Amino acid sequence: MSEGNFSEWLRARCEPTWTEVVTHPFAEAITKGTVPDDDMRRYLSQDFQFVDTFTALLGAAVACADSFEARVPYGRFLGQVATTEEKTYFHRALDALGAGTGATVLEPVTEDFRTLMDEARTSQDYVLIVAVLCVAEWTYLGWASRATQPYPDNFVHREWIELHEGPEFRQWVGFLRGELDRLGPGLDEDHRQEVLSVFHRAVELEKRFFDMARG
């Protein structure tokens, strides 16, 4: 494994599922603002169930990272997810769609995705944690970056795109990819295959999640 291409090596080995995620009809409908309210309500209600688990996974990345320089971006993004942008968006969007943020019956794919995040967190294996985070963020940049201006008027669609596109989010995804690229060359073959397995599992779950959202 040569230095600087581990993230791309992982992504390429998840085709065609990766492309099916970033070009998924449901994601495309978000970029056009054409998702029916019932489908968007189901999608966001389920996605909101990841906020706590995702926050815990970011905390594990802070704890397990191998340098102060690596910890800082996680801490910065952790503040955005837990206290500002995404949580605020979810409350406003779900209220607008006629749904609350209270107890929600989890779809099977939501349970499976939370299980994967919890497994990565409790493993305390930094590269596995980064792999799960990278899939979640890179795939969303993938579909959001396909949106064209002007974005939809409805803030539920428009702000969801904006949360996953733009210079700051691209820098965040670039950091996650960079961590995989930095760590990949030092992994032995067994560890590399374990990372690939987790990465591929996360990509498949992303596709299943969009499939669920379509109904």
Side-chain angles (χ1 to χ4, degrees), residues 176-188:
L176 294 172
R177 291 190 59 189
E179 286 297 274
L180 289 175
D181 291 343
R182 176 176 70 85
L183 297 165
L187 304 178
D188 62 33

Side-chain angles (χ1 to χ4, degrees), residues 3 186 202:
E3 186 173 356

Side-chain angles (χ1 to χ4, degrees), residues 122-162:
T122 57
S123 76
Q124 298 292 289
D125 186 327
Y126 179 52
V127 69
L128 295 183
I129 292 169
V130 179
V132 175
L133 290 170
C134 190
V135 170
E137 304 294 58
W138 192 7
T139 55
Y140 267 55
L141 174 62
W143 68 257
S145 65
R146 294 169 57 85
T148 57
Q149 298 281 3
Y151 291 163
D153 290 335
N154 187 332
F155 87 89
V156 172
H157 297 86
R158 183 185 66 254
E159 291 188 20
W160 193 238
I161 298 167
E162 292 171 344

Side-chain angles (χ1 to χ4, degrees), residues 10-25 135 139-140 142-143 199-211:
L10 292 167
R11 187 208 63 78
R13 277 152 183 79
C14 294
E15 292 291 3
T17 311
W18 182 279
T19 296
E20 291 170 352
V21 173
V22 301
T23 63
H24 197 282
V135 170
T139 55
Y140 267 55
W143 68 257
F199 194 95
H200 190 268
R201 186 174 157 199
V203 173
E204 290 180 327
L205 285 167
E206 292 288 1
K207 181 177 184 301
R208 283 179 55 200
F209 197 78
F210 275 149
D211 289 344

Side-chain angles (χ1 to χ4, degrees), residues 70-146:
R71 297 183 209 279
V72 170
Y74 295 115
R76 185 181 300 118
F77 195 78
L78 182 58
Q80 293 175 350
V81 171
T83 63
T84 56
E85 295 177 2
E86 287 204 23
K87 191 171 182 182
T88 300
Y89 166 82
F90 275 117
H91 283 275
R92 290 187 296 112
L94 288 171
D95 282 347
L97 292 166
T101 56
T104 299
V105 176
L106 300 184
E107 295 284 349
V109 64
T110 308
E111 293 182 334
D112 290 347
F113 221 144
R114 294 212 317 190
T115 295
L116 176 61
M117 291 183 188
D118 283 339
E119 287 176 0
R121 174 179 57 81
T122 57
S123 76
Q124 298 292 289
D125 186 327
Y126 179 52
V127 69
L128 295 183
I129 292 169
V130 179
V132 175
L133 290 170
C134 190
V135 170
E137 304 294 58
W138 192 7
T139 55
Y140 267 55
L141 174 62
W143 68 257
S145 65
R146 294 169 57 85

Side-chain angles (χ1 to χ4, degrees), residues 65-73:
D66 56 358
S67 70
F68 174 77
E69 289 74 19
R71 297 183 209 279
V72 170

